[in-house]
Amino acid sequence: MGLFSSDTYYCTVCGGEAQSSNAEQCSQCGSVIHHRCLKNTGNAKKEGRFLRSDKVKLRCPDCGNVGSI
Ligand SMILES: [Zn+2]
Ligand SMILES: [Zn+2]
């Protein structure tokens, strides 16, 4: 997942305004998706079986690119 510039982005899933603090940008296709929308669409999954694991796998709903934060 890439870095944001200062422009305004719109979430691919819900169409709402997105900022770097509450969304991720796909490094492959540039789509921006809210963290909560990634969860709502099942595209954010914790890695491993342990709840304390804080590594989250993200999948872009547009191009299927997988990254982690
Ligand atoms: Zn959204
Ligand atoms: Zn993508």
Side-chain angles (χ1 to χ4, degrees), residues 9-22:
Y9 292 89
Y10 295 94
C11 173
T12 301
V13 175
C14 71
E17 273 189 40
Q19 284 158 356
S20 57
S21 57
N22 66 1

Side-chain angles (χ1 to χ4, degrees), residues 49-63:
R49 308 185 313 176
F50 300 104
L51 285 175
R52 66 178 174 217
S53 168
D54 55 2
K55 246 196 170 181
V56 179
K57 230 184 203 177
L58 303 174
R59 192 172 66 86
C60 174
D62 274 356
C63 71

Side-chain angles (χ1 to χ4, degrees), residues 25-51:
Q25 182 173 31
C26 175
S27 55
Q28 191 159 288
C29 72
S31 287
V32 174
I33 310 101
H34 289 126
H35 293 148
R36 67 164 190 270
C37 290
L38 283 167
K39 278 185 199 159
N40 288 345
T41 53
N43 286 303
K45 294 251 161 62
K46 292 224 175 191
E47 278 186 346
R49 308 185 313 176
F50 300 104
L51 285 175

